[in-house]
Amino acid sequence: MRALVQTVARACVTVDDAVVGEIADGLLVLVGVTHADTPQVAATMARKLHELRILDDERSAADTGAPLLVVSQFTLYGDARKGRRPSWTAAAPADVAEPLVEAVVEELRARGATVQTGRFRTHMRVESVNVGPRTLLLDL
């Protein structure tokens, strides 16, 4: 499982001209799932995301109550080493990835985090205003 984490002043996800998730002063988290991922990996990712000390003064969302916007992003497993057309074979299929992304979200919520999400299997428009900018790739 991979997550690209960005500190944001604001971020939102729009589907069909309707906002389906938005946050202010928190973390935008793009999550990619691969074939070997499990619910245990999802739980570990949620813990790391919640406790990641990427906010001001080396604080975490757990410390500050900062919200998270979690968006599924299979392209994090794209491979463009050969040619110009990326391969997506390392990305888990949607029926495998969706419950694992949901497991990350549910574990974050169980930890007390405020979480908004994108919408799986839709064409999403993701907008963000980065702070810092601070961007980190977590790869479990």
Side-chain angles (χ1 to χ4, degrees):
M1 186 170 284
R2 288 182 179 155
L4 184 71
V5 184
Q6 297 178 313
T7 55
V8 295
R10 64 181 181 275
C12 70
V13 178
T14 305
V15 175
D16 296 329
D17 296 322
V19 173
V20 297
E22 68 181 322
I23 62 166
D25 299 319
L27 300 175
L28 172 60
V29 182
L30 307 177
V31 177
V33 177
T34 193
H35 304 280
D37 289 334
T38 64
Q40 292 78 19
V41 171
T44 299
M45 179 62 79
R47 180 186 54 77
K48 288 186 79 74
L49 290 168
H50 197 225
E51 297 175 1
L52 185 65
R53 297 188 175 282
I54 194 173
L55 298 170
D56 289 343
D57 300 321
E58 296 185 9
R59 297 177 74 198
S60 68
D63 297 331
T64 66
L68 299 93
L69 175 58
V70 176
V71 180
S72 175
Q73 187 73 32
F74 76 92
T75 60
L76 288 176
Y77 279 100
D79 183 355
R81 290 178 288 182
K82 291 183 178 180
R84 295 173 291 159
R85 181 179 302 147
S87 167
W88 312 112
T89 59
D95 60 328
V96 172
E98 186 172 12
L100 291 172
V101 172
E102 284 299 318
V104 170
V105 170
E106 291 307 313
E107 179 65 23
L108 283 165
R109 288 180 176 148
R111 296 174 62 81
T114 300
V115 184
Q116 295 284 307
T117 65
R119 189 170 296 156
F120 216 88
R121 299 181 198 213
T122 63
H123 183 61
M124 295 178 278
R125 188 174 68 223
V126 180
E127 300 176 62
S128 65
V129 176
N130 295 0
V131 173
R134 284 172 262 177
T135 302
L136 184 66
L137 179 64
L138 297 177
D139 198 357
L140 300 183

